[in-house]
Amino acid sequence: MGASHRVVTPSSKLAMPEVSIGLYPDVGATWFLNQIDDGIGLFLGLTGMSVNASDSVDLGLADYLLLEEQFEELTTLLRTTHWPDNAHRHEIVSDTLSNLQIFAAKSRPANQLMPFKMQIELACSHPDLYMIVQNIKAINCEEKWLDKAIANMVSGSPITEYICFLQMRHYNKLSLEESFQLELSMSVRCALLGEFKEGVRARLIDKDGMPNWKFDSIESVDRETIDTLITPLWTVDNHPLNGLGASL
C-alpha cells in the first residue's frame, strides 16, 4: 500500500486478516481502506477476506497486473531507461507498467468480489454494527469465498470488528499521518489488552483455532474497553509520529 506503483500478478492475494488474531486493520488501513468504495473497506476488515488480483485492481488496492514472467523484462526496461532529474520519473514507470500489462490482460483471474459489490455496499450501509454483521450473513451469494469470509467474521474477535467499524465510520476523514498516529496508540493498547496475544496463540502458536476472546459477541463488547483502546497515548504535540506528513 505504501508503494508508488502497486503491482500484482494473477496469483496475488491481498487481505487484512487481523479479525482472526484480535488486532485490527493496521499499517495505515484506517486511511487506505477508506480510499476505496464505501462499505467495501469495512467488509474486508470485518471478514479478513482475501481479494484476488483482478478485484485488487478494480477496487483500487493495486494499480497494475503483470505476469510473473514479465518481471525480468520489467527490471531490464527500468535499468536501461534514461531517467531525467525531474518529476517525469513517476510517469515513466507508469507508462512502462501500462504497456506491459496489456500482455497480461488475458491472464486476469475471474473477479470474485466485484459481481457482488452492490450487495456488499448495501449490507455495510447500515449505521449499526450488529445489523451490518447480520446483513453480511444474509448476502445472496452461493460462493465458497463468501462462506469463508462469513466464517472468519463469526469466529473473529468482536473487539477487532468494533474497532474496524470505528475506523471506517468515525475515522474515515483522517489524513494518512493522522491514521498512523491513531494506529500507533491502538497497537500499543491492543498489545496491553491481551486480545492480540490470545489470537496469535490460537492461530499461530498452538494452532488450536480456538481463541478465547474477551467478549462472545459484538453486542457484549464493553464500550469502556473500546474507549480505552482508542484513547491516544500521546498528545498531538509530543506524538512520536508528529510531523510524519512532511515525509509522506
Short mmCIF file of all heavy atoms in Angstrom, two decimals, residues 203-241:
data_model
loop_
_atom_site.label_atom_id
_atom_site.label_comp_id
_atom_site.label_asym_id
_atom_site.label_seq_id
_atom_site.Cartn_x
_atom_site.Cartn_y
_atom_site.Cartn_z
N ARG A 203 -4.03 -18.97 16.75
CA ARG A 203 -3.90 -19.13 15.29
C ARG A 203 -2.49 -19.51 14.84
O ARG A 203 -2.34 -20.25 13.87
CB ARG A 203 -4.29 -17.82 14.60
CG ARG A 203 -5.64 -17.26 14.99
CD ARG A 203 -6.80 -18.12 14.58
NE ARG A 203 -8.06 -17.42 14.80
CZ ARG A 203 -9.26 -18.00 14.71
NH1 ARG A 203 -9.36 -19.28 14.39
NH2 ARG A 203 -10.37 -17.29 14.94
N LEU A 204 -1.47 -19.01 15.54
CA LEU A 204 -0.11 -19.15 15.03
C LEU A 204 0.82 -19.99 15.89
O LEU A 204 1.79 -20.56 15.38
CB LEU A 204 0.51 -17.76 14.85
CG LEU A 204 -0.27 -16.79 13.94
CD1 LEU A 204 0.41 -15.43 13.91
CD2 LEU A 204 -0.40 -17.37 12.55
N ILE A 205 0.58 -20.06 17.19
CA ILE A 205 1.49 -20.79 18.08
C ILE A 205 0.95 -22.19 18.39
O ILE A 205 1.46 -23.19 17.92
CB ILE A 205 1.76 -20.00 19.37
CG1 ILE A 205 2.41 -18.65 19.03
CG2 ILE A 205 2.66 -20.80 20.32
CD1 ILE A 205 2.65 -17.75 20.22
N ASP A 206 -0.11 -22.25 19.19
CA ASP A 206 -0.72 -23.55 19.50
C ASP A 206 -1.52 -24.09 18.31
O ASP A 206 -1.71 -25.30 18.18
CB ASP A 206 -1.64 -23.44 20.71
CG ASP A 206 -0.89 -23.07 21.97
OD1 ASP A 206 0.34 -23.31 22.01
OD2 ASP A 206 -1.51 -22.54 22.91
N LYS A 207 -2.03 -23.19 17.49
CA LYS A 207 -2.80 -23.54 16.29
C LYS A 207 -4.00 -24.43 16.59
O LYS A 207 -4.35 -25.31 15.81
CB LYS A 207 -1.88 -24.21 15.26
CG LYS A 207 -0.77 -23.30 14.75
CD LYS A 207 0.06 -23.97 13.67
CE LYS A 207 1.15 -23.04 13.16
NZ LYS A 207 2.00 -23.66 12.12
N ASP A 208 -4.62 -24.19 17.75
CA ASP A 208 -5.83 -24.94 18.07
C ASP A 208 -7.07 -24.32 17.42
O ASP A 208 -8.15 -24.91 17.41
CB ASP A 208 -6.02 -25.05 19.58
CG ASP A 208 -6.06 -23.70 20.30
OD1 ASP A 208 -6.46 -22.70 19.66
OD2 ASP A 208 -5.70 -23.64 21.48
N GLY A 209 -6.90 -23.10 16.87
CA GLY A 209 -8.02 -22.44 16.20
C GLY A 209 -9.16 -22.07 17.11
O GLY A 209 -10.29 -21.84 16.64
N MET A 210 -8.90 -21.99 18.40
CA MET A 210 -9.97 -21.71 19.37
C MET A 210 -9.56 -20.58 20.32
O MET A 210 -9.32 -20.80 21.51
CB MET A 210 -10.31 -22.98 20.17
CG MET A 210 -10.80 -24.13 19.31
SD MET A 210 -11.16 -25.61 20.28
CE MET A 210 -12.52 -25.02 21.31
N PRO A 211 -9.48 -19.36 19.80
CA PRO A 211 -9.12 -18.24 20.67
C PRO A 211 -10.20 -17.96 21.71
O PRO A 211 -11.40 -18.07 21.43
CB PRO A 211 -8.99 -17.07 19.69
CG PRO A 211 -9.87 -17.45 18.54
CD PRO A 211 -9.75 -18.94 18.42
N ASN A 212 -9.77 -17.66 22.90
CA ASN A 212 -10.70 -17.32 23.99
C ASN A 212 -10.83 -15.81 24.04
O ASN A 212 -10.18 -15.14 24.82
CB ASN A 212 -10.17 -17.88 25.31
CG ASN A 212 -11.13 -17.62 26.47
OD1 ASN A 212 -12.33 -17.45 26.26
ND2 ASN A 212 -10.60 -17.58 27.67
N TRP A 213 -11.70 -15.26 23.17
CA TRP A 213 -11.87 -13.81 23.11
C TRP A 213 -12.47 -13.27 24.39
O TRP A 213 -13.17 -13.98 25.11
CB TRP A 213 -12.76 -13.43 21.93
CG TRP A 213 -12.32 -13.87 20.58
CD1 TRP A 213 -13.06 -14.54 19.65
CD2 TRP A 213 -11.04 -13.66 19.95
NE1 TRP A 213 -12.35 -14.76 18.51
CE2 TRP A 213 -11.09 -14.24 18.66
CE3 TRP A 213 -9.85 -13.06 20.35
CZ2 TRP A 213 -10.02 -14.23 17.78
CZ3 TRP A 213 -8.77 -13.05 19.48
CH2 TRP A 213 -8.85 -13.61 18.21
N LYS A 214 -12.21 -12.01 24.67
CA LYS A 214 -12.70 -11.39 25.89
C LYS A 214 -14.22 -11.20 25.87
O LYS A 214 -14.86 -11.14 26.93
CB LYS A 214 -12.01 -10.04 26.12
CG LYS A 214 -10.53 -10.17 26.42
CD LYS A 214 -9.91 -8.84 26.80
CE LYS A 214 -8.44 -9.02 27.17
NZ LYS A 214 -8.26 -9.85 28.37
N PHE A 215 -14.80 -11.13 24.67
CA PHE A 215 -16.25 -10.99 24.55
C PHE A 215 -16.78 -12.02 23.55
O PHE A 215 -16.11 -12.34 22.58
CB PHE A 215 -16.62 -9.57 24.10
CG PHE A 215 -16.17 -8.50 25.04
CD1 PHE A 215 -15.00 -7.79 24.80
CD2 PHE A 215 -16.89 -8.21 26.20
CE1 PHE A 215 -14.56 -6.80 25.66
CE2 PHE A 215 -16.47 -7.22 27.07
CZ PHE A 215 -15.30 -6.52 26.81
N ASP A 216 -17.97 -12.52 23.83
CA ASP A 216 -18.55 -13.57 22.99
C ASP A 216 -19.16 -13.04 21.70
O ASP A 216 -19.31 -13.78 20.73
CB ASP A 216 -19.63 -14.33 23.76
CG ASP A 216 -19.06 -15.09 24.95
OD1 ASP A 216 -17.88 -15.50 24.87
OD2 ASP A 216 -19.79 -15.28 25.94
N SER A 217 -19.53 -11.76 21.69
CA SER A 217 -20.19 -11.18 20.52
C SER A 217 -20.00 -9.68 20.53
O SER A 217 -19.60 -9.08 21.54
CB SER A 217 -21.70 -11.50 20.55
OG SER A 217 -22.31 -10.89 21.68
N ILE A 218 -20.30 -9.05 19.39
CA ILE A 218 -20.15 -7.59 19.33
C ILE A 218 -21.16 -6.90 20.25
O ILE A 218 -20.89 -5.80 20.76
CB ILE A 218 -20.30 -7.07 17.89
CG1 ILE A 218 -21.62 -7.56 17.26
CG2 ILE A 218 -19.12 -7.48 17.04
CD1 ILE A 218 -21.88 -6.98 15.90
N GLU A 219 -22.31 -7.54 20.48
CA GLU A 219 -23.32 -6.92 21.36
C GLU A 219 -22.83 -6.85 22.80
O GLU A 219 -23.26 -5.98 23.56
CB GLU A 219 -24.63 -7.71 21.32
CG GLU A 219 -25.20 -7.94 19.92
CD GLU A 219 -24.85 -9.32 19.42
OE1 GLU A 219 -23.70 -9.51 18.98
OE2 GLU A 219 -25.73 -10.20 19.47
N SER A 220 -21.93 -7.78 23.18
CA SER A 220 -21.47 -7.82 24.56
C SER A 220 -20.19 -7.03 24.80
O SER A 220 -19.71 -6.95 25.93
CB SER A 220 -21.25 -9.28 24.99
OG SER A 220 -20.23 -9.89 24.22
N VAL A 221 -19.64 -6.44 23.74
CA VAL A 221 -18.41 -5.67 23.89
C VAL A 221 -18.64 -4.47 24.81
O VAL A 221 -19.57 -3.69 24.61
CB VAL A 221 -17.87 -5.20 22.53
CG1 VAL A 221 -16.66 -4.27 22.72
CG2 VAL A 221 -17.47 -6.39 21.67
N ASP A 222 -17.80 -4.34 25.78
CA ASP A 222 -17.88 -3.24 26.73
C ASP A 222 -17.35 -1.96 26.08
O ASP A 222 -16.20 -1.91 25.63
CB ASP A 222 -17.04 -3.60 27.97
CG ASP A 222 -17.04 -2.50 29.01
OD1 ASP A 222 -17.84 -1.55 28.89
OD2 ASP A 222 -16.24 -2.60 29.96
N ARG A 223 -18.17 -0.94 26.03
CA ARG A 223 -17.77 0.31 25.39
C ARG A 223 -16.55 0.93 26.08
O ARG A 223 -15.72 1.56 25.44
CB ARG A 223 -18.94 1.30 25.39
CG ARG A 223 -18.61 2.64 24.76
CD ARG A 223 -18.36 2.51 23.26
NE ARG A 223 -17.57 3.59 22.74
CZ ARG A 223 -17.59 4.01 21.49
NH1 ARG A 223 -18.40 3.44 20.62
NH2 ARG A 223 -16.82 4.99 21.08
N GLU A 224 -16.42 0.71 27.38
CA GLU A 224 -15.27 1.27 28.10
C GLU A 224 -13.97 0.67 27.57
O GLU A 224 -12.95 1.37 27.48
CB GLU A 224 -15.40 0.97 29.60
CG GLU A 224 -14.29 1.58 30.44
CD GLU A 224 -14.48 1.32 31.92
OE1 GLU A 224 -15.56 0.84 32.32
OE2 GLU A 224 -13.54 1.60 32.70
N THR A 225 -14.01 -0.61 27.19
CA THR A 225 -12.82 -1.25 26.63
C THR A 225 -12.44 -0.59 25.31
O THR A 225 -11.26 -0.31 25.06
CB THR A 225 -13.08 -2.75 26.40
OG1 THR A 225 -13.35 -3.39 27.66
CG2 THR A 225 -11.87 -3.41 25.74
N ILE A 226 -13.44 -0.33 24.47
CA ILE A 226 -13.18 0.31 23.18
C ILE A 226 -12.68 1.73 23.38
O ILE A 226 -11.73 2.17 22.71
CB ILE A 226 -14.45 0.31 22.32
CG1 ILE A 226 -14.94 -1.12 22.08
CG2 ILE A 226 -14.19 1.02 20.99
CD1 ILE A 226 -13.95 -2.02 21.38
N ASP A 227 -13.28 2.45 24.31
CA ASP A 227 -12.84 3.82 24.57
C ASP A 227 -11.39 3.87 25.01
O ASP A 227 -10.63 4.77 24.63
CB ASP A 227 -13.73 4.46 25.65
CG ASP A 227 -15.12 4.79 25.14
OD1 ASP A 227 -15.30 4.85 23.91
OD2 ASP A 227 -16.03 4.97 25.96
N THR A 228 -11.00 2.88 25.80
CA THR A 228 -9.60 2.81 26.24
C THR A 228 -8.67 2.56 25.06
O THR A 228 -7.61 3.18 24.93
CB THR A 228 -9.41 1.69 27.28
OG1 THR A 228 -10.22 1.98 28.43
CG2 THR A 228 -7.96 1.58 27.71
N LEU A 229 -9.08 1.65 24.16
CA LEU A 229 -8.24 1.29 23.02
C LEU A 229 -8.01 2.47 22.06
O LEU A 229 -6.95 2.56 21.43
CB LEU A 229 -8.85 0.12 22.26
CG LEU A 229 -8.83 -1.23 22.98
CD1 LEU A 229 -9.60 -2.27 22.18
CD2 LEU A 229 -7.40 -1.70 23.21
N ILE A 230 -9.00 3.35 21.95
CA ILE A 230 -8.87 4.46 21.01
C ILE A 230 -8.40 5.76 21.68
O ILE A 230 -8.25 6.78 21.01
CB ILE A 230 -10.20 4.72 20.27
CG1 ILE A 230 -11.30 5.13 21.26
CG2 ILE A 230 -10.62 3.50 19.46
CD1 ILE A 230 -12.62 5.49 20.58
N THR A 231 -8.15 5.70 22.99
CA THR A 231 -7.64 6.88 23.69
C THR A 231 -6.16 7.08 23.37
O THR A 231 -5.35 6.16 23.57
CB THR A 231 -7.81 6.74 25.22
OG1 THR A 231 -9.21 6.61 25.53
CG2 THR A 231 -7.24 7.96 25.94
N PRO A 232 -5.77 8.24 22.85
CA PRO A 232 -4.36 8.47 22.47
C PRO A 232 -3.42 8.33 23.67
O PRO A 232 -3.75 8.71 24.79
CB PRO A 232 -4.37 9.90 21.94
CG PRO A 232 -5.79 10.18 21.56
CD PRO A 232 -6.63 9.39 22.54
N LEU A 233 -2.26 7.77 23.42
CA LEU A 233 -1.23 7.66 24.45
C LEU A 233 -0.38 8.92 24.53
O LEU A 233 0.34 9.13 25.50
CB LEU A 233 -0.33 6.45 24.17
CG LEU A 233 -0.92 5.08 24.48
CD1 LEU A 233 -0.08 3.98 23.84
CD2 LEU A 233 -1.00 4.86 25.98
N TRP A 234 -0.46 9.74 23.48
CA TRP A 234 0.32 10.96 23.42
C TRP A 234 -0.57 12.11 22.96
O TRP A 234 -1.61 11.90 22.31
CB TRP A 234 1.48 10.83 22.42
CG TRP A 234 2.41 9.71 22.70
CD1 TRP A 234 3.49 9.71 23.52
CD2 TRP A 234 2.36 8.38 22.13
NE1 TRP A 234 4.12 8.49 23.51
CE2 TRP A 234 3.44 7.66 22.66
CE3 TRP A 234 1.50 7.74 21.22
CZ2 TRP A 234 3.70 6.33 22.34
CZ3 TRP A 234 1.74 6.42 20.89
CH2 TRP A 234 2.82 5.72 21.44
N THR A 235 -0.17 13.32 23.27
CA THR A 235 -0.84 14.49 22.72
C THR A 235 -0.32 14.69 21.29
O THR A 235 0.67 14.07 20.88
CB THR A 235 -0.53 15.75 23.54
OG1 THR A 235 0.87 16.05 23.43
CG2 THR A 235 -0.90 15.56 25.00
N VAL A 236 -0.98 15.54 20.54
CA VAL A 236 -0.56 15.81 19.17
C VAL A 236 0.86 16.36 19.14
O VAL A 236 1.68 15.99 18.29
CB VAL A 236 -1.53 16.80 18.49
CG1 VAL A 236 -1.02 17.18 17.11
CG2 VAL A 236 -2.92 16.20 18.39
N ASP A 237 1.18 17.23 20.09
CA ASP A 237 2.49 17.89 20.09
C ASP A 237 3.64 16.95 20.42
O ASP A 237 4.75 17.13 19.90
CB ASP A 237 2.49 19.07 21.08
CG ASP A 237 1.57 20.20 20.62
OD1 ASP A 237 1.34 20.29 19.39
OD2 ASP A 237 1.09 20.96 21.47
N ASN A 238 3.41 15.97 21.32
CA ASN A 238 4.54 15.11 21.70
C ASN A 238 4.44 13.70 21.13
O ASN A 238 5.12 12.79 21.57
CB ASN A 238 4.66 15.04 23.24
CG ASN A 238 3.51 14.26 23.88
OD1 ASN A 238 2.61 13.75 23.20
ND2 ASN A 238 3.55 14.15 25.20
N HIS A 239 3.59 13.52 20.11
CA HIS A 239 3.45 12.21 19.50
C HIS A 239 4.73 11.82 18.76
O HIS A 239 5.33 12.66 18.07
CB HIS A 239 2.27 12.21 18.52
CG HIS A 239 1.78 10.84 18.16
ND1 HIS A 239 2.47 9.99 17.34
CD2 HIS A 239 0.66 10.16 18.53
CE1 HIS A 239 1.81 8.84 17.21
NE2 HIS A 239 0.71 8.92 17.92
N PRO A 240 5.18 10.56 18.89
CA PRO A 240 6.41 10.14 18.20
C PRO A 240 6.35 10.31 16.68
O PRO A 240 7.39 10.43 16.03
CB PRO A 240 6.51 8.65 18.57
CG PRO A 240 5.75 8.51 19.83
CD PRO A 240 4.63 9.50 19.75
N LEU A 241 5.13 10.29 16.12
CA LEU A 241 4.97 10.43 14.68
C LEU A 241 4.55 11.84 14.28
O LEU A 241 4.12 12.06 13.14
CB LEU A 241 3.95 9.41 14.16
CG LEU A 241 4.30 7.95 14.40
CD1 LEU A 241 3.23 7.03 13.80
CD2 LEU A 241 5.66 7.59 13.82
#
